[in-house]
Amino acid sequence: MSKVSIVIPVYNVEQYLRRCIDSILSQSYADYEMILVDDGSTDTSGQICDEYSGDSRIHVIHKANEGAGAARNTGIEIATGDYITFIDSDDYIAGCYLERMVQTAEQTGSDIVQCGYLYGDEAAYSFRKESEQVIRPVILDSHEVFRTRNAKIIICAKLYKTILFEGIRYPKVSIHDDEFVTYKLLYKAKRTALTAIPYYYYYKSPNSIMREKKIFYPDNFIQAYEERIRFFEAEGEQELVLISYKERCVRLMLFLAQCYGSRENQNDKKMMIAMFRQDYKHIKNFKISVKERVMLSAFNMFPVIMAKVISRLRNHM
């Protein structure tokens, strides 16, 4: 049986932490270690971690606050599993999460497995009997995985072969740390398996809702995509370079829609529109879907109007 290392960065989540840990302790798959990295919490989260430390499968590390990326790196350094997965400490997982993810990895020979996830508050969803669902996973190679938007950039809801992290670590940034790393892992993996079955519950807490309402200047995200473009240029992967330009166009469009109606960050908005138009030049003749072409072309010509339209559509979803 393959061993799985579960890395959980912990910071001020006393209200949700036990639910997260308990969802792991109730797994149908037995061969795992849980690494709780208390990232300098100022509430009782660190004490809650210690309450569980009597279980030989659970390792607790207390460190100064450096952010979730640094906490994940700490977990990676001591992980002893054949596979590794990351769970945010206010999220939780279905009882068959590990069993199904490992099973999919080994049956398909995949280096990464991504499952579906649900996003909402506690009233929105309760796990169905996923074990009764049979959906064949989609298997993609290191190029196909970038041609579909079904392979998500998020860190969680994935199982990785631990060996993929040799030479790869998360940056110490406040947001978008996944943007700096996930593409490297997907490219390094010979096979990635995607299953739509939701084994991961991404909890939408009041704090995360408040964060969504703030306007973030996406400097980390822009830097991450700049590194991604240069990475694929150095690898001689022109198609993946163009896909990266397209993805940054899409993300810039969504950021601007999020900012619509705010009088703040006017210079940032102008910068993002200018960057969008510069990126769009790179993909003007690149083959993309009709839907993407229509949206991006319209945004290139009428960014303010399209930001308004997209913002209203998102608000009514």
Side-chain angles (χ1 to χ4, degrees):
M1 184 179 285
S2 298
K3 183 177 180 181
V4 181
S5 297
I6 307 165
V7 177
I8 308 172
V10 176
Y11 181 73
N12 289 358
V13 284
E14 59 185 4
Q15 186 176 350
Y16 312 108
L17 182 56
R18 285 188 177 88
R19 180 183 63 188
C20 175
I21 296 172
D22 290 343
S23 76
I24 297 166
L25 292 175
S26 63
Q27 289 296 296
S28 58
Y29 192 85
D31 196 2
Y32 67 84
E33 64 178 356
M34 189 190 319
I35 303 171
L36 297 166
V37 184
D38 171 30
D39 190 39
S41 296
T42 57
D43 65 0
T44 62
S45 295
Q47 298 170 36
I48 294 171
C49 290
D50 290 336
E51 289 175 14
Y52 288 87
S53 62
D55 189 314
S56 61
R57 298 168 298 180
I58 298 176
H59 311 288
V60 178
I61 299 171
H62 299 282
K63 61 184 289 298
N65 178 254
E66 293 182 283
R72 290 189 188 96
N73 292 341
T74 298
I76 293 168
E77 292 294 335
I78 69 165
T80 61
D82 304 290
Y83 296 96
I84 190 167
T85 189
F86 302 95
I87 301 174
D88 286 345
S89 50
D90 53 354
D91 298 343
Y92 58 104
I93 54 176
C96 58
Y97 174 85
L98 292 179
E99 179 184 356
R100 294 303 186 193
M101 297 290 269
V102 172
Q103 184 180 65
T104 300
E106 299 193 338
Q107 286 181 351
T108 63
S110 297
D111 297 329
I112 297 175
V113 177
Q114 173 190 286
C115 68
Y117 63 92
L118 272 294
Y119 184 60
D121 59 22
E122 288 175 316
Y125 182 76
S126 60
F127 282 117
R128 297 184 293 274
K129 293 182 179 178
E130 291 88 350
S131 57
E132 296 178 1
Q133 300 184 56
V134 179
I135 301 176
R136 295 189 67 179
V138 176
I139 311 301
L140 304 171
D141 67 25
S142 60
H143 287 72
E144 292 168 334
V145 73
F146 291 100
R147 296 182 188 128
T148 173
R149 301 204 76 215
N150 293 325
K152 305 302 182 184
I153 208 73
I154 61 170
I155 296 166
C156 300
K158 289 183 176 68
L159 182 78
Y160 310 84
K161 275 192 176 176
T162 306
I163 197 171
L164 291 176
F165 283 91
E166 289 188 359
I168 296 177
R169 292 294 185 270
Y170 290 96
K172 294 179 182 179
V173 295
S174 57
I175 55 173
H176 303 303
D177 53 332
D178 44 6
E179 303 277 6
F180 288 86
V181 172
T182 303
Y183 73 89
K184 294 178 183 177
L185 298 170
L186 292 171
Y187 183 67
K188 195 173 182 180
K190 292 180 180 178
R191 279 186 168 190
T192 295
L194 309 180
T195 176
I197 303 175
Y199 299 133
Y200 190 97
Y201 190 89
Y202 193 121
Y203 182 59
K204 191 173 184 177
S205 67
N207 286 338
S208 63
I209 294 170
M210 289 304 295
R211 286 196 297 271
E212 285 180 0
K213 292 180 179 178
K214 294 181 181 179
I215 303 301
F216 289 113
Y217 166 58
D219 51 349
N220 289 341
F221 142 74
I222 289 172
Q223 180 188 347
Y225 265 86
E226 199 61 36
E227 289 186 12
R228 172 173 164 171
I229 290 165
R230 302 298 162 241
F231 174 84
F232 286 131
E233 284 179 340
E235 294 291 330
E237 298 283 6
Q238 185 60 20
E239 180 191 10
L240 301 186
V241 169
L242 294 174
I243 288 173
S244 299
Y245 275 121
K246 182 205 72 172
E247 289 298 317
R248 187 161 67 177
C249 279
V250 172
R251 296 294 300 279
L252 286 167
M253 180 175 67
L254 295 176
F255 266 116
L256 285 159
Q258 180 187 341
C259 296
Y260 180 78
S262 171
R263 295 184 178 275
E264 300 177 30
N265 308 82
Q266 292 299 322
N267 290 333
D268 295 342
K269 292 177 188 177
K270 291 177 182 177
M271 180 277 299
M272 285 189 278
I273 290 172
M275 177 170 285
F276 176 95
R277 286 176 165 158
Q278 191 63 37
D279 284 357
Y280 186 74
K281 290 178 182 178
H282 289 281
I283 62 168
K284 197 169 184 179
N285 298 316
F286 182 54
K287 186 177 180 180
I288 59 177
S289 71
V290 173
K291 181 181 178 181
E292 288 175 325
R293 178 64 67 194
V294 170
M295 289 290 290
L296 295 177
S297 178
F299 197 92
N300 187 53
M301 293 185 287
F302 311 108
V304 177
I305 294 172
M306 287 300 295
K308 179 180 179 180
V309 170
I310 296 168
S311 178
R312 288 186 173 179
L313 288 173
R314 286 165 68 98
N315 288 336
H316 286 87
M317 290 179 64

